[in-house]
Amino acid sequence: MSYSTADSLRPVTLDDVRGAQKMLTGVARVTAMETSRHLSQLVGSPVYLKCENLQRTGSFKLRGAYVRIAGLLPEQRAAGVVAASAGNHAQGVALASALLGVHATVFMPVGAPLPKISATREYGAEVRLHGQVVDETLAAAQEYAAESGAVFIHPFDHPDVIAGQGTVGLEILDQCPEVGTIVVGVGGGGLAAGIAVAVKAIRPDVRIIGVQAEGAAAYPPSLAAGRPVSVHQPVTMADGIKVGRPGDVPFALVEELVDEVRTVGEDRLSAALLLCLERAKLVVEPAGAAPVAALLAEPGGFAGPVVAVLSGGNVDPVLMQRVLRHGMSAQGRYLAVRLRLTDRPGALATLLAVLSGADANVLDISHVRTDPRLGLSEVEVELQLETKGPVHCTELGHALREAGYTVID
């Protein structure tokens, strides 16, 4: 399966996806489909999680990268391949190239997480760090391709890549034949486009819903305009779908086949990641949790059974810590409280006794004595508390006020 520049915009067909599936036999895993009782109760119909976070390299990207590189002519393989990525596509290209005996050069941003850089190198690729943002990295990779003759492997804007990603859709139909709605995260659109091509050709009644982060949502304005448009400086924790402009090839397919594209905020993304970890025991990156975030945002808005595609699990441990804190805060399980106390011995111990009686766990305490707004015998105390949820937060506020403390909002 190989495409020239002239037909690079040719629509992807079901036959292409089926051909990709044969090519990926023994290469990509048929990833698990897990049930989620919690989400099923929330949505009111069966909800299944398609676990591409458990795919080789930790995301679906291996599928498209392998199909694209495997379709190159012998002379193209000999010239090597080059890619630009902050993580998942980098690892997919690196492993696919190693399996096919092709030299791969991968450009990554200077600030890319160290685990992703290390993994890409361990899969056998030559890693070059360039640029502070992916756009700069992409430009460097394309310049290298022009100078060296290496084939540039786009992360989503090529029919071979889309056909490879579409194999996820075939697996969903095989594992959950009764599926009513498939929810999938959308960045450039390759995964959503591929799934839609495969599923709609076999089951046109299945709804395909794409999900983007609010701060990097290029598809809604693009669909409204009828052409790909750019979002200036996309901002989101979900770096896997942090794409400023839809790809030309996937956009045409998403416009034709995807029923709807929704957006979710950062609070929903972090809450979804936390839910996957706590309730499903699955490590999922923010982009991979986007479909779950959409279910949390509007649980009644999906015809079941629902399959949510967890597209990846490559999350930097440092980011994981921040996201988990954010998710717990969004769920009311962290509470920051500022109080004014009389600056005398035993005052803090008395306060802690009140908090202990209200079953709150103190994580951190800081004191301020030099604020000019404070009286001569006053001290301001800020506490970081671990709580049991929004109701518990409200109960804590009442307990503190009943004990005579001034809570500063």
Side-chain angles (χ1 to χ4, degrees):
M1 188 186 303
S2 180
Y3 295 84
S4 66
T5 303
D7 67 359
S8 62
L9 294 180
R10 192 185 83 184
V12 184
T13 67
L14 176 60
D15 285 342
D16 293 326
V17 181
R18 283 177 168 157
Q21 187 176 47
K22 291 180 182 178
M23 191 179 293
L24 288 167
T25 301
V27 175
R29 294 172 181 156
V30 177
T31 51
M33 182 83 76
E34 298 289 342
T35 58
S36 172
R37 185 174 63 179
H38 177 77
L39 288 173
S40 297
Q41 291 174 343
L42 185 68
V43 172
S45 64
V47 175
Y48 302 91
L49 305 175
K50 177 60 173 168
C51 299
E52 281 297 290
N53 59 312
L54 303 179
Q55 183 57 262
R56 297 178 71 179
T57 75
S59 88
F60 71 96
K61 290 288 189 178
L62 171 65
R63 298 173 183 263
Y66 187 90
V67 173
R68 172 76 172 104
I69 297 169
L72 297 177
L73 299 172
E75 57 269 27
Q76 292 175 312
R77 291 197 194 189
V81 298
V82 60
S85 168
N88 288 347
H89 181 58
Q91 294 173 68
V93 168
L95 179 56
S97 298
L99 293 172
L100 292 164
V102 177
H103 177 74
T105 303
V106 177
F107 284 76
M108 304 182 74
V110 173
L114 291 177
K116 294 184 178 182
I117 295 173
S118 298
T120 303
R121 285 181 173 142
E122 288 173 7
Y123 285 127
E126 176 188 347
V127 175
R128 299 191 181 191
L129 302 179
H130 184 94
Q132 299 298 321
V133 295
V134 174
D135 287 344
E136 296 174 358
T137 309
L138 182 63
Q142 291 173 324
E143 182 180 348
Y144 175 86
E147 293 174 351
S148 67
V151 179
F152 178 68
I153 307 299
H154 200 284
F156 50 81
D157 205 11
H158 194 281
D160 284 359
V161 173
I162 293 170
Q165 320 304 29
T167 59
V168 175
L170 294 180
E171 290 179 16
I172 290 173
L173 291 180
D174 183 57
Q175 294 169 314
C176 184
E178 70 280 14
V179 61
T181 303
I182 297 173
V183 191
V184 55
V186 179
L191 179 60
I195 289 175
V197 166
V199 172
K200 289 289 188 178
I202 300 171
R203 287 276 312 281
D205 58 304
V206 175
R207 284 182 57 80
I208 311 291
I209 297 179
V211 184
Q212 292 206 288
E214 287 178 356
Y219 263 91
S222 296
L223 293 170
R227 58 180 176 80
V229 298
S230 299
V231 170
H232 182 61
Q233 294 182 340
V235 178
T236 176
M237 71 175 76
D239 58 347
I241 54 174
K242 186 180 176 182
V243 178
R245 181 186 183 278
D248 294 326
V249 182
F251 175 79
L253 295 167
V254 169
E255 184 179 40
E256 177 187 359
L257 300 173
V258 172
D259 296 281
E260 185 182 354
V261 176
R262 302 183 183 183
T263 61
V264 292
E266 302 296 284
D267 285 355
R268 293 292 188 189
L269 286 169
S270 56
L273 186 150
L274 183 61
L275 184 147
C276 288
L277 186 63
E278 286 190 327
R279 304 304 293 265
K281 316 307 178 192
L282 292 168
V283 175
V284 181
E285 62 189 273
V292 175
L295 296 180
L296 295 178
E298 192 179 346
F302 302 87
V306 179
V307 173
V309 181
L310 307 182
S311 58
N314 291 317
V315 57
D316 178 37
V318 176
L319 175 62
M320 174 69 89
Q321 287 180 325
R322 295 204 306 267
V323 172
L324 289 179
R325 285 197 299 267
H326 188 268
M328 292 182 72
S329 178
Q331 291 187 352
R333 291 163 61 182
Y334 281 149
L335 178 65
V337 179
R338 286 193 301 148
L339 306 167
R340 286 183 182 172
L341 307 178
T342 302
D343 193 7
R344 58 176 176 77
L348 182 58
T350 301
L351 170 61
L352 294 178
V354 172
L355 294 172
S356 177
D359 205 19
N361 184 34
V362 179
L363 301 176
D364 190 33
I365 301 175
S366 62
H367 295 75
V368 176
R369 288 185 169 86
T370 57
D371 192 314
R373 293 170 296 182
L374 294 172
L376 184 63
S377 61
E378 286 184 321
V379 60
E380 186 174 294
V381 177
E382 182 171 345
L383 303 105
Q384 301 291 330
L385 306 175
E386 183 179 7
T387 63
K388 299 176 181 178
V391 174
H392 191 204
C393 289
T394 301
E395 292 172 350
L396 279 171
H398 290 324
L400 289 169
R401 290 183 175 90
E402 287 178 0
Y405 292 101
T406 301
V407 180
I408 305 170
D409 295 327

